[in-house]
Amino acid sequence: MTSPFSVPIYEPLPYVLSGLSFAQLPLYTQRYLSDIAKLVPPHAHGLNTITAERSIISTLLSRSLEGNDIALVRQRREATNMGRDYEQGIPFQNHAQWHAAAQEMRLQTVLGVLLPQRGRILDEFMIKFDALVWLDQEGRQNYTPGDWQRYRDALLTPILDRTSDQLVALDESVRNRSVSDECYYRGPPNSLYSRFGSSRTNASRVRSWRS
């Protein structure tokens, strides 16, 4: 039985750049706008340029997360397969203490390495994303901090949703391939141990990685 995939939830910090001059921006934000994106004087910029740069960093975010996605899915699949084999009493994996230790090590890899790595990738993206929001002031000179927060969130939510969809799609692809290989090599799974034998939902992130 395979529990539902618990997608890591990223909570960005509130938008805090509204009302600041360029000189008041954090230094890393200034460097991104002036030296990398080249969207502040003496470089020229327009609305199309900001939109294009936002598209570029969104694409780079997806690519940056690919390795992390693969590692997370691999850990989950190995944990799932190990748990299934243990339940079925397959030799070499039937020692309870060894099984518990292996699963705990796998959980520590996810929570202690992969999820923090994912958070850092998204944090770096948010520096650039919020810098572009700050720059996108045409027609919004009278925005309040609350207006800017809502504007930023409206732009950001679809991007974060796509990162989650990308991870879920990879997991589903690997799961479907695993099921196909299992049917080919083993024949139809025994109904008692079929990974499709239950639709019980498990919302706990930790328990989902122990499954």
Side-chain angles (χ1 to χ4, degrees), residues 95-169:
H95 193 285
Q97 185 175 0
W98 175 87
H99 173 80
Q103 295 290 58
E104 183 63 29
M105 183 177 299
R106 202 175 304 283
L107 188 65
Q108 289 177 1
T109 298
V110 171
L111 299 181
V113 178
L114 296 179
L115 294 185
Q117 178 192 64
R118 190 177 187 85
R120 287 191 296 272
I121 293 172
L122 286 160
D123 286 344
E124 292 175 5
F125 166 78
M126 287 307 306
I127 291 174
K128 301 172 183 178
F129 187 86
D130 280 355
L132 295 176
V133 172
W134 175 86
L135 195 62
D136 194 8
Q137 297 187 25
E138 185 171 332
R140 302 179 183 87
Q141 289 81 1
N142 296 324
Y143 268 25
T144 67
D147 292 331
W148 280 112
Q149 182 70 57
R150 286 186 290 273
Y151 177 63
R152 180 257 225 164
D153 291 346
L155 293 171
L156 177 64
T157 298
I159 298 173
L160 295 184
D161 287 346
R162 282 196 295 272
T163 65
S164 298
D165 293 343
Q166 174 178 299
L167 179 56
V168 171

Side-chain angles (χ1 to χ4, degrees), residues 8 17 60 78 90 104 114-115 132 150 171 195 206 209 211:
L17 304 182
L60 291 175
E78 291 178 359
I90 294 178
E104 183 63 29
L114 296 179
L115 294 185
L132 295 176
R150 286 186 290 273
D171 181 67
R195 64 183 64 190
V206 174
W209 290 104
S211 301

Side-chain angles (χ1 to χ4, degrees), residues 51-52 90 124 203 205 208:
T51 301
I90 294 178
E124 292 175 5
R205 174 183 299 174
S208 72

Side-chain angles (χ1 to χ4, degrees), residues 5-47:
F5 193 89
S6 292
V7 177
I9 298 174
Y10 177 75
E11 295 289 351
L13 295 174
Y15 180 74
V16 295
L17 304 182
S18 60
L20 299 183
S21 67
F22 180 80
Q24 293 173 320
L25 295 174
L27 289 179
Y28 43 79
T29 302
Q30 294 183 34
R31 284 196 294 269
Y32 165 68
L33 289 174
S34 61
D35 300 337
I36 300 176
K38 300 185 185 301
L39 293 176
V40 294
H43 309 286
H45 79 272
L47 291 179

Side-chain angles (χ1 to χ4, degrees), residues 60-96:
L60 291 175
L61 173 64
S62 295
R63 293 177 180 173
S64 297
L65 287 173
E66 285 178 356
N68 187 267
D69 287 347
I70 291 170
L72 284 172
V73 170
R74 180 185 296 120
Q75 292 292 332
R76 169 173 159 79
R77 298 259 57 84
E78 291 178 359
T80 299
N81 293 338
M82 185 185 298
R84 180 198 59 197
D85 291 345
Y86 176 73
E87 290 176 359
Q88 295 182 13
I90 294 178
F92 183 72
Q93 293 185 347
N94 59 355
H95 193 285

